Amino acid sequence: MALKKYLFFLILVIFTGIQGDLRGTNHTDDDNGFAGGSGTEEYPWQVATPEQLNLLRQYLGNTHADKHFLQISDIDLGQYPWDEGQGWEPIGTSSDPFFGNYDGDGYVISGLTINRPGSNNVGLWGFTEETAHIQNLGLHNATVNGGNYTVGTLVGFNKGLLSAVHATGNVSGGYRVGGLAGENNPGTIADSYAQVDVGANDGRIGGLVGFNVNGTVSGSYATGDVTAGWYVGGLVGRNLNGNISESYATGNITGSNSVGGLIGDTEGGSVVNSYATGSVTGGGAVGGLIGYLWQTQVSQTYATGNVSGTSWGVGGLIGYRFGGQVNNSYWNTETSGQNTSDGGTAKTTTDMVMSETYTNWNFPDVWNIHEGISYPFLTWQGEAGSHNYPFQYPLILLASPETGGSPKAEPDNEFYQPGMQIWLEARPNDGYNLLNWTNQHGEEISQEEEFQYEMPPYDTELTANFAEIISTFTLVFAIEDPQGNLIHNAVIALNNVEYEQGDYEFEGLEPGLYQYNISAEDFFDKGGDVEVTDHDMEVTVVMQPDDTSADSESIKSLSIYPNPATDIINLEINQASSMPLNICLIDINSGLKVLTKKLSSSAQQHVEISIKDLPAGVYILQLQNRVIAHNRRIVIR
């Protein structure tokens, strides 16, 4: 009985393990053309190709609200036939919406192309219902052109939940156009962003959402430029009873009326813990944060972008306000160019980089700041972006070569205000010297290891240029005759550079091979090579006397032929008396005797000397008897 129970338990464990692995298998019996799965929450249909993504449109309507899909690889829609003609057909319509759940699992859909200027509810998804949930998905390099209203890159009209999604590219349309969603009504967008340039003809146009109706936007941002007509905002074009929190926008915004860095127009709802930094340009109701504010609660917000308007209601934070409250919110008078606002508190740049300025703000749970350096940034950002630094530009320090040393700045910031004095230091590593500092244009800034630098009003890159130290050495020549006496009137040419007579000491030579040639009166020229390595050197050079033009009383005549010679040298010798003779052949470069021959006593004689085993070069043929040594120059080829 115990054995049966054990076997049953073992089979159950194996079966459970198999069931647990179904989510990762390629196919099941009910995959319906997908890469696997069965469409349940536990075993979602797996999507790996454009064709399988296209199958989602077969599961529209309320009866498919329980369907789940899981993307298992990146998908490229920028290929035939998905990018031809009108391009991708949006998933879901107002009469047949998408109710299901789609998990991108961190993967990307790229190359989305939609060109449907006659259609509404345009995006990768056209219309999503309240039960729909799209999450963990990236949409890259999208190009979307829609019709009159509700146009977005990811969703045209969203009623559901969009979480941890993002889009890049561009979108255009007429009315209710957004970088991520055209209309959010009454949906939720959380932890998402759009890096999308938005252009539209009419109103309710936003960098993230065009029209937010009873919807929620939290922990999200938009960075694209937005150009449209009215109700134009960097994050949301128009907010109607919606709630926006812990979000920001950095794009440059241009419109006609009700134009804001974060929101163009807001009526009801709330805007809290949010900010905008882009420039804002319009006609009437133009604000750094909100263009037109109607009965909306605004708190813990700020704006820093330049604001310009040609008509009524122009303000650094709020352009025009009709009711509503603006609490603990600020704008920068210096960067906005505006000294007034219909709500909020005016501050200078110096004020706005200090946390003490921001009354009742939650540091560090919601907000963070680099004291005296940056504007506040949201804690979920992790680190400030470049837009969070006022009047500041990056300073990048480089070393060339990288092994040469380490340049440093004090204070050690990433961004600096123009005119700020920065102490720069470049300490060379062992074996290197600092040459100079140069900027990105190759212009020399300094030759000092430490100096004070004034930050210019633009991005700057400075390079500390180092040179490897090469040790130098001294080479001394001692020039002697065969008897060891120094020769003082020689002239040396070193590497073909002739130096002054008697200049036998050469300082500051780098390691290497040097050629020398020495000439002195009454001596044969002497040349050779000397290699300077890692120490000072003294080289002794012995020069042979040149008396080939002198007459000899003991040797009446001497004939040497041929000269130059190849195999044999012939000598015809006529002495004044019969004396023994010694013949030496001396290598003029080394000073070494390469051949010796002793002749018998005779007044006249003919001598043949074989030279076929000697290398080509210049030699001294020396004849010596008891009276005199007689030298002749011989060339062997």
Side-chain angles (χ1 to χ4, degrees), residues 223-267:
T223 63
D225 294 339
V226 184
T227 305
W230 64 96
Y231 298 162
V232 185
L235 189 78
V236 176
R238 189 183 190 204
N239 179 55
L240 183 60
N241 297 318
N243 298 302
I244 297 169
S245 64
E246 295 188 44
S247 299
Y248 70 87
T250 66
N252 299 317
I253 315 305
T254 304
S256 57
N257 294 299
S258 298
V259 185
L262 190 76
I263 304 168
D265 170 89
T266 178
E267 300 181 25

mmCIF file of all heavy atoms in Angstrom, residues 223-267:
data_model
loop_
_atom_site.group_PDB
_atom_site.id
_atom_site.type_symbol
_atom_site.label_atom_id
_atom_site.label_comp_id
_atom_site.label_asym_id
_atom_site.label_seq_id
_atom_site.Cartn_x
_atom_site.Cartn_y
_atom_site.Cartn_z
ATOM 1 N N THR A 223 9.511 63.117 -24.031
ATOM 2 C CA THR A 223 10.652 63.968 -24.386
ATOM 3 C C THR A 223 10.549 64.557 -25.789
ATOM 4 O O THR A 223 11.401 65.349 -26.178
ATOM 5 C CB THR A 223 11.967 63.165 -24.305
ATOM 6 O OG1 THR A 223 11.922 62.105 -25.279
ATOM 7 C CG2 THR A 223 12.162 62.560 -22.925
ATOM 8 N N GLY A 224 9.532 64.182 -26.557
ATOM 9 C CA GLY A 224 9.439 64.659 -27.935
ATOM 10 C C GLY A 224 8.930 66.087 -28.037
ATOM 11 O O GLY A 224 8.281 66.617 -27.133
ATOM 12 N N ASP A 225 9.243 66.723 -29.176
ATOM 13 C CA ASP A 225 8.696 68.049 -29.470
ATOM 14 C C ASP A 225 7.264 67.892 -29.977
ATOM 15 O O ASP A 225 6.940 66.928 -30.684
ATOM 16 C CB ASP A 225 9.538 68.754 -30.531
ATOM 17 C CG ASP A 225 10.941 69.064 -30.038
ATOM 18 O OD1 ASP A 225 11.145 69.113 -28.809
ATOM 19 O OD2 ASP A 225 11.841 69.246 -30.876
ATOM 20 N N VAL A 226 6.417 68.844 -29.612
ATOM 21 C CA VAL A 226 5.004 68.789 -29.978
ATOM 22 C C VAL A 226 4.631 70.094 -30.682
ATOM 23 O O VAL A 226 4.845 71.183 -30.146
ATOM 24 C CB VAL A 226 4.109 68.579 -28.743
ATOM 25 C CG1 VAL A 226 2.648 68.434 -29.168
ATOM 26 C CG2 VAL A 226 4.556 67.348 -27.950
ATOM 27 N N THR A 227 4.052 69.957 -31.866
ATOM 28 C CA THR A 227 3.627 71.121 -32.639
ATOM 29 C C THR A 227 2.206 70.902 -33.118
ATOM 30 O O THR A 227 1.930 69.911 -33.811
ATOM 31 C CB THR A 227 4.551 71.339 -33.853
ATOM 32 O OG1 THR A 227 5.900 71.444 -33.415
ATOM 33 C CG2 THR A 227 4.160 72.592 -34.609
ATOM 34 N N ALA A 228 1.299 71.791 -32.744
ATOM 35 C CA ALA A 228 -0.111 71.588 -33.108
ATOM 36 C C ALA A 228 -0.866 72.908 -32.991
ATOM 37 O O ALA A 228 -0.245 73.994 -33.013
ATOM 38 C CB ALA A 228 -0.726 70.518 -32.206
ATOM 39 N N GLY A 229 -2.220 72.817 -32.866
ATOM 40 C CA GLY A 229 -3.066 74.007 -32.787
ATOM 41 C C GLY A 229 -3.325 74.429 -31.351
ATOM 42 O O GLY A 229 -2.533 75.143 -30.753
ATOM 43 N N TRP A 230 -4.409 73.941 -30.731
ATOM 44 C CA TRP A 230 -4.761 74.357 -29.389
ATOM 45 C C TRP A 230 -4.777 73.155 -28.448
ATOM 46 O O TRP A 230 -4.778 72.003 -28.875
ATOM 47 C CB TRP A 230 -6.122 75.046 -29.392
ATOM 48 C CG TRP A 230 -7.254 74.145 -29.802
ATOM 49 C CD1 TRP A 230 -8.086 73.465 -28.970
ATOM 50 C CD2 TRP A 230 -7.669 73.824 -31.131
ATOM 51 N NE1 TRP A 230 -8.996 72.733 -29.676
ATOM 52 C CE2 TRP A 230 -8.765 72.943 -31.014
ATOM 53 C CE3 TRP A 230 -7.215 74.199 -32.401
ATOM 54 C CZ2 TRP A 230 -9.411 72.426 -32.132
ATOM 55 C CZ3 TRP A 230 -7.878 73.670 -33.500
ATOM 56 C CH2 TRP A 230 -8.948 72.798 -33.362
ATOM 57 N N TYR A 231 -4.788 73.441 -27.125
ATOM 58 C CA TYR A 231 -4.676 72.378 -26.117
ATOM 59 C C TYR A 231 -3.462 71.497 -26.435
ATOM 60 O O TYR A 231 -3.582 70.311 -26.761
ATOM 61 C CB TYR A 231 -5.932 71.516 -26.071
ATOM 62 C CG TYR A 231 -7.216 72.231 -25.694
ATOM 63 C CD1 TYR A 231 -8.453 71.668 -25.962
ATOM 64 C CD2 TYR A 231 -7.196 73.477 -25.070
ATOM 65 C CE1 TYR A 231 -9.642 72.307 -25.625
ATOM 66 C CE2 TYR A 231 -8.376 74.125 -24.735
ATOM 67 C CZ TYR A 231 -9.597 73.540 -25.019
ATOM 68 O OH TYR A 231 -10.766 74.190 -24.690
ATOM 69 N N VAL A 232 -2.302 72.090 -26.317
ATOM 70 C CA VAL A 232 -1.064 71.414 -26.694
ATOM 71 C C VAL A 232 -0.147 71.343 -25.465
ATOM 72 O O VAL A 232 0.176 72.379 -24.872
ATOM 73 C CB VAL A 232 -0.338 72.149 -27.837
ATOM 74 C CG1 VAL A 232 0.881 71.354 -28.299
ATOM 75 C CG2 VAL A 232 -1.291 72.398 -28.996
ATOM 76 N N GLY A 233 0.286 70.118 -25.079
ATOM 77 C CA GLY A 233 1.131 69.962 -23.897
ATOM 78 C C GLY A 233 2.267 68.987 -24.115
ATOM 79 O O GLY A 233 2.183 68.077 -24.944
ATOM 80 N N GLY A 234 3.323 69.172 -23.342
ATOM 81 C CA GLY A 234 4.474 68.283 -23.465
ATOM 82 C C GLY A 234 4.166 66.866 -23.034
ATOM 83 O O GLY A 234 4.741 65.904 -23.567
ATOM 84 N N LEU A 235 3.262 66.685 -22.059
ATOM 85 C CA LEU A 235 2.855 65.346 -21.605
ATOM 86 C C LEU A 235 1.427 65.037 -22.058
ATOM 87 O O LEU A 235 1.180 64.008 -22.679
ATOM 88 C CB LEU A 235 2.951 65.257 -20.085
ATOM 89 C CG LEU A 235 2.766 63.845 -19.506
ATOM 90 C CD1 LEU A 235 4.040 63.034 -19.683
ATOM 91 C CD2 LEU A 235 2.396 63.916 -18.012
ATOM 92 N N VAL A 236 0.496 65.945 -21.734
ATOM 93 C CA VAL A 236 -0.928 65.756 -22.047
ATOM 94 C C VAL A 236 -1.451 67.021 -22.718
ATOM 95 O O VAL A 236 -1.201 68.135 -22.238
ATOM 96 C CB VAL A 236 -1.736 65.452 -20.768
ATOM 97 C CG1 VAL A 236 -3.223 65.364 -21.083
ATOM 98 C CG2 VAL A 236 -1.245 64.174 -20.111
ATOM 99 N N GLY A 237 -2.185 66.819 -23.811
ATOM 100 C CA GLY A 237 -2.766 67.983 -24.484
ATOM 101 C C GLY A 237 -3.880 68.600 -23.672
ATOM 102 O O GLY A 237 -3.815 69.780 -23.305
ATOM 103 N N ARG A 238 -4.896 67.783 -23.368
ATOM 104 C CA ARG A 238 -5.989 68.263 -22.525
ATOM 105 C C ARG A 238 -6.293 67.213 -21.461
ATOM 106 O O ARG A 238 -6.402 66.024 -21.756
ATOM 107 C CB ARG A 238 -7.253 68.554 -23.336
ATOM 108 C CG ARG A 238 -8.323 69.261 -22.504
ATOM 109 C CD ARG A 238 -9.608 69.493 -23.246
ATOM 110 N NE ARG A 238 -10.487 70.375 -22.483
ATOM 111 C CZ ARG A 238 -11.814 70.420 -22.600
ATOM 112 N NH1 ARG A 238 -12.417 69.649 -23.495
ATOM 113 N NH2 ARG A 238 -12.531 71.242 -21.881
ATOM 114 N N ASN A 239 -6.422 67.681 -20.203
ATOM 115 C CA ASN A 239 -6.733 66.802 -19.072
ATOM 116 C C ASN A 239 -8.116 67.170 -18.542
ATOM 117 O O ASN A 239 -8.325 68.277 -18.046
ATOM 118 C CB ASN A 239 -5.675 66.977 -17.977
ATOM 119 C CG ASN A 239 -5.968 66.103 -16.775
ATOM 120 O OD1 ASN A 239 -6.109 64.893 -16.900
ATOM 121 N ND2 ASN A 239 -6.051 66.724 -15.590
ATOM 122 N N LEU A 240 -9.078 66.249 -18.648
ATOM 123 C CA LEU A 240 -10.439 66.487 -18.196
ATOM 124 C C LEU A 240 -10.751 65.538 -17.044
ATOM 125 O O LEU A 240 -10.938 64.327 -17.242
ATOM 126 C CB LEU A 240 -11.431 66.282 -19.346
ATOM 127 C CG LEU A 240 -12.902 66.566 -19.042
ATOM 128 C CD1 LEU A 240 -13.106 68.016 -18.607
ATOM 129 C CD2 LEU A 240 -13.765 66.255 -20.271
ATOM 130 N N ASN A 241 -10.732 66.086 -15.827
ATOM 131 C CA ASN A 241 -11.006 65.302 -14.619
ATOM 132 C C ASN A 241 -10.056 64.114 -14.465
ATOM 133 O O ASN A 241 -10.408 63.105 -13.852
ATOM 134 C CB ASN A 241 -12.461 64.809 -14.609
ATOM 135 C CG ASN A 241 -13.451 65.950 -14.573
ATOM 136 O OD1 ASN A 241 -13.258 66.931 -13.843
ATOM 137 N ND2 ASN A 241 -14.499 65.856 -15.389
ATOM 138 N N GLY A 242 -8.892 64.225 -15.032
ATOM 139 C CA GLY A 242 -7.902 63.168 -14.881
ATOM 140 C C GLY A 242 -6.875 63.514 -13.812
ATOM 141 O O GLY A 242 -6.772 64.663 -13.364
ATOM 142 N N ASN A 243 -6.113 62.540 -13.404
ATOM 143 C CA ASN A 243 -5.108 62.726 -12.361
ATOM 144 C C ASN A 243 -3.717 62.405 -12.906
ATOM 145 O O ASN A 243 -3.487 61.306 -13.439
ATOM 146 C CB ASN A 243 -5.421 61.832 -11.164
ATOM 147 C CG ASN A 243 -6.757 62.177 -10.526
ATOM 148 O OD1 ASN A 243 -6.980 63.309 -10.093
ATOM 149 N ND2 ASN A 243 -7.669 61.210 -10.475
ATOM 150 N N ILE A 244 -2.820 63.373 -12.722
ATOM 151 C CA ILE A 244 -1.460 63.223 -13.235
ATOM 152 C C ILE A 244 -0.499 63.387 -12.067
ATOM 153 O O ILE A 244 -0.569 64.377 -11.324
ATOM 154 C CB ILE A 244 -1.165 64.272 -14.326
ATOM 155 C CG1 ILE A 244 -2.112 64.047 -15.518
ATOM 156 C CG2 ILE A 244 0.286 64.201 -14.774
ATOM 157 C CD1 ILE A 244 -2.100 65.159 -16.524
ATOM 158 N N SER A 245 0.395 62.418 -11.901
ATOM 159 C CA SER A 245 1.307 62.461 -10.759
ATOM 160 C C SER A 245 2.671 61.888 -11.123
ATOM 161 O O SER A 245 2.791 61.018 -11.992
ATOM 162 C CB SER A 245 0.724 61.669 -9.576
ATOM 163 O OG SER A 245 0.607 60.287 -9.905
ATOM 164 N N GLU A 246 3.700 62.414 -10.446
ATOM 165 C CA GLU A 246 5.080 61.941 -10.571
ATOM 166 C C GLU A 246 5.473 61.723 -12.035
ATOM 167 O O GLU A 246 6.013 60.695 -12.417
ATOM 168 C CB GLU A 246 5.293 60.659 -9.759
ATOM 169 C CG GLU A 246 5.138 60.878 -8.264
ATOM 170 C CD GLU A 246 5.538 59.672 -7.449
ATOM 171 O OE1 GLU A 246 6.580 59.066 -7.760
ATOM 172 O OE2 GLU A 246 4.808 59.343 -6.487
ATOM 173 N N SER A 247 5.240 62.748 -12.838
ATOM 174 C CA SER A 247 5.523 62.684 -14.272
ATOM 175 C C SER A 247 6.186 63.978 -14.727
ATOM 176 O O SER A 247 6.122 65.004 -14.033
ATOM 177 C CB SER A 247 4.228 62.443 -15.065
ATOM 178 O OG SER A 247 3.642 61.205 -14.687
ATOM 179 N N TYR A 248 6.797 63.941 -15.909
ATOM 180 C CA TYR A 248 7.456 65.144 -16.408
ATOM 181 C C TYR A 248 7.514 65.132 -17.929
ATOM 182 O O TYR A 248 7.297 64.101 -18.577
ATOM 183 C CB TYR A 248 8.858 65.302 -15.815
ATOM 184 C CG TYR A 248 9.880 64.305 -16.287
ATOM 185 C CD1 TYR A 248 10.634 64.508 -17.450
ATOM 186 C CD2 TYR A 248 10.132 63.146 -15.552
ATOM 187 C CE1 TYR A 248 11.596 63.596 -17.864
ATOM 188 C CE2 TYR A 248 11.093 62.222 -15.953
ATOM 189 C CZ TYR A 248 11.813 62.452 -17.108
ATOM 190 O OH TYR A 248 12.765 61.553 -17.521
ATOM 191 N N ALA A 249 7.833 66.306 -18.496
ATOM 192 C CA ALA A 249 8.000 66.461 -19.945
ATOM 193 C C ALA A 249 9.166 67.402 -20.201
ATOM 194 O O ALA A 249 9.377 68.369 -19.457
ATOM 195 C CB ALA A 249 6.728 67.010 -20.582
ATOM 196 N N THR A 250 9.928 67.118 -21.273
ATOM 197 C CA THR A 250 11.107 67.940 -21.581
ATOM 198 C C THR A 250 11.080 68.513 -22.997
ATOM 199 O O THR A 250 11.971 69.266 -23.360
ATOM 200 C CB THR A 250 12.399 67.106 -21.429
ATOM 201 O OG1 THR A 250 12.411 66.078 -22.423
ATOM 202 C CG2 THR A 250 12.492 66.482 -20.051
ATOM 203 N N GLY A 251 10.094 68.141 -23.809
ATOM 204 C CA GLY A 251 10.066 68.583 -25.194
ATOM 205 C C GLY A 251 9.721 70.055 -25.347
ATOM 206 O O GLY A 251 9.182 70.696 -24.439
ATOM 207 N N ASN A 252 10.011 70.595 -26.530
ATOM 208 C CA ASN A 252 9.663 71.973 -26.857
ATOM 209 C C ASN A 252 8.276 71.989 -27.489
ATOM 210 O O ASN A 252 8.000 71.227 -28.424
ATOM 211 C CB ASN A 252 10.691 72.564 -27.815
ATOM 212 C CG ASN A 252 12.080 72.593 -27.192
ATOM 213 O OD1 ASN A 252 12.232 72.950 -26.031
ATOM 214 N ND2 ASN A 252 13.084 72.209 -27.957
ATOM 215 N N ILE A 253 7.423 72.882 -26.982
ATOM 216 C CA ILE A 253 6.004 72.845 -27.320
ATOM 217 C C ILE A 253 5.606 74.117 -28.062
ATOM 218 O O ILE A 253 5.903 75.229 -27.617
ATOM 219 C CB ILE A 253 5.139 72.697 -26.039
ATOM 220 C CG1 ILE A 253 5.731 71.622 -25.116
ATOM 221 C CG2 ILE A 253 3.705 72.392 -26.413
ATOM 222 C CD1 ILE A 253 5.923 70.265 -25.759
ATOM 223 N N THR A 254 4.883 73.926 -29.177
ATOM 224 C CA THR A 254 4.440 75.069 -29.979
ATOM 225 C C THR A 254 2.964 74.880 -30.341
ATOM 226 O O THR A 254 2.568 73.817 -30.829
ATOM 227 C CB THR A 254 5.267 75.194 -31.269
ATOM 228 O OG1 THR A 254 6.644 75.289 -30.945
ATOM 229 C CG2 THR A 254 4.837 76.408 -32.063
ATOM 230 N N GLY A 255 2.163 75.909 -30.105
ATOM 231 C CA GLY A 255 0.750 75.853 -30.458
ATOM 232 C C GLY A 255 0.172 77.247 -30.593
ATOM 233 O O GLY A 255 0.901 78.248 -30.581
ATOM 234 N N SER A 256 -1.163 77.308 -30.701
ATOM 235 C CA SER A 256 -1.815 78.606 -30.832
ATOM 236 C C SER A 256 -2.322 79.106 -29.479
ATOM 237 O O SER A 256 -1.878 80.133 -28.974
ATOM 238 C CB SER A 256 -2.965 78.523 -31.843
ATOM 239 O OG SER A 256 -3.891 77.520 -31.460
ATOM 240 N N ASN A 257 -3.231 78.348 -28.845
ATOM 241 C CA ASN A 257 -3.784 78.747 -27.552
ATOM 242 C C ASN A 257 -3.834 77.539 -26.612
ATOM 243 O O ASN A 257 -3.902 76.394 -27.052
ATOM 244 C CB ASN A 257 -5.199 79.319 -27.721
ATOM 245 C CG ASN A 257 -5.194 80.618 -28.508
ATOM 246 O OD1 ASN A 257 -4.587 81.609 -28.099
ATOM 247 N ND2 ASN A 257 -5.845 80.608 -29.658
ATOM 248 N N SER A 258 -3.777 77.850 -25.303
ATOM 249 C CA SER A 258 -3.756 76.812 -24.265
ATOM 250 C C SER A 258 -2.588 75.865 -24.509
ATOM 251 O O SER A 258 -2.752 74.693 -24.862
ATOM 252 C CB SER A 258 -5.090 76.050 -24.227
ATOM 253 O OG SER A 258 -6.147 76.922 -23.896
ATOM 254 N N VAL A 259 -1.407 76.394 -24.310
ATOM 255 C CA VAL A 259 -0.170 75.664 -24.591
ATOM 256 C C VAL A 259 0.659 75.610 -23.308
ATOM 257 O O VAL A 259 0.909 76.641 -22.675
ATOM 258 C CB VAL A 259 0.633 76.354 -25.706
ATOM 259 C CG1 VAL A 259 1.859 75.529 -26.075
ATOM 260 C CG2 VAL A 259 -0.247 76.597 -26.927
ATOM 261 N N GLY A 260 1.074 74.399 -22.910
ATOM 262 C CA GLY A 260 1.841 74.266 -21.671
ATOM 263 C C GLY A 260 2.975 73.272 -21.798
ATOM 264 O O GLY A 260 2.907 72.319 -22.582
ATOM 265 N N GLY A 261 4.016 73.485 -20.993
ATOM 266 C CA GLY A 261 5.153 72.568 -21.019
ATOM 267 C C GLY A 261 4.780 71.171 -20.587
ATOM 268 O O GLY A 261 5.363 70.187 -21.075
ATOM 269 N N LEU A 262 3.812 71.028 -19.667
ATOM 270 C CA LEU A 262 3.338 69.711 -19.233
ATOM 271 C C LEU A 262 1.941 69.427 -19.776
ATOM 272 O O LEU A 262 1.711 68.373 -20.359
ATOM 273 C CB LEU A 262 3.325 69.635 -17.704
ATOM 274 C CG LEU A 262 3.074 68.229 -17.123
ATOM 275 C CD1 LEU A 262 4.340 67.389 -17.247
ATOM 276 C CD2 LEU A 262 2.635 68.318 -15.656
ATOM 277 N N ILE A 263 1.017 70.388 -19.590
ATOM 278 C CA ILE A 263 -0.382 70.205 -20.001
ATOM 279 C C ILE A 263 -0.860 71.476 -20.689
ATOM 280 O O ILE A 263 -0.644 72.592 -20.185
ATOM 281 C CB ILE A 263 -1.284 69.914 -18.786
ATOM 282 C CG1 ILE A 263 -0.763 68.685 -18.013
ATOM 283 C CG2 ILE A 263 -2.719 69.688 -19.223
ATOM 284 C CD1 ILE A 263 -1.430 68.512 -16.668
ATOM 285 N N GLY A 264 -1.540 71.311 -21.817
ATOM 286 C CA GLY A 264 -2.081 72.482 -22.503
ATOM 287 C C GLY A 264 -3.276 73.060 -21.778
ATOM 288 O O GLY A 264 -3.308 74.263 -21.473
ATOM 289 N N ASP A 265 -4.233 72.207 -21.468
ATOM 290 C CA ASP A 265 -5.461 72.642 -20.795
ATOM 291 C C ASP A 265 -5.859 71.571 -19.795
ATOM 292 O O ASP A 265 -5.822 70.371 -20.108
ATOM 293 C CB ASP A 265 -6.586 72.837 -21.816
ATOM 294 C CG ASP A 265 -7.939 73.039 -21.167
ATOM 295 O OD1 ASP A 265 -8.288 74.190 -20.886
ATOM 296 O OD2 ASP A 265 -8.647 72.024 -20.949
ATOM 297 N N THR A 266 -6.230 71.982 -18.566
ATOM 298 C CA THR A 266 -6.711 71.016 -17.578
ATOM 299 C C THR A 266 -7.967 71.560 -16.916
ATOM 300 O O THR A 266 -7.999 72.723 -16.480
ATOM 301 C CB THR A 266 -5.632 70.685 -16.529
ATOM 302 O OG1 THR A 266 -6.181 69.782 -15.566
ATOM 303 C CG2 THR A 266 -5.086 71.918 -15.848
ATOM 304 N N GLU A 267 -8.977 70.719 -16.856
ATOM 305 C CA GLU A 267 -10.259 71.081 -16.239
ATOM 306 C C GLU A 267 -10.657 69.965 -15.283
ATOM 307 O O GLU A 267 -11.022 68.860 -15.694
ATOM 308 C CB GLU A 267 -11.332 71.280 -17.306
ATOM 309 C CG GLU A 267 -10.988 72.389 -18.292
ATOM 310 C CD GLU A 267 -12.070 72.605 -19.332
ATOM 311 O OE1 GLU A 267 -13.231 72.265 -19.043
ATOM 312 O OE2 GLU A 267 -11.758 73.098 -20.433
#
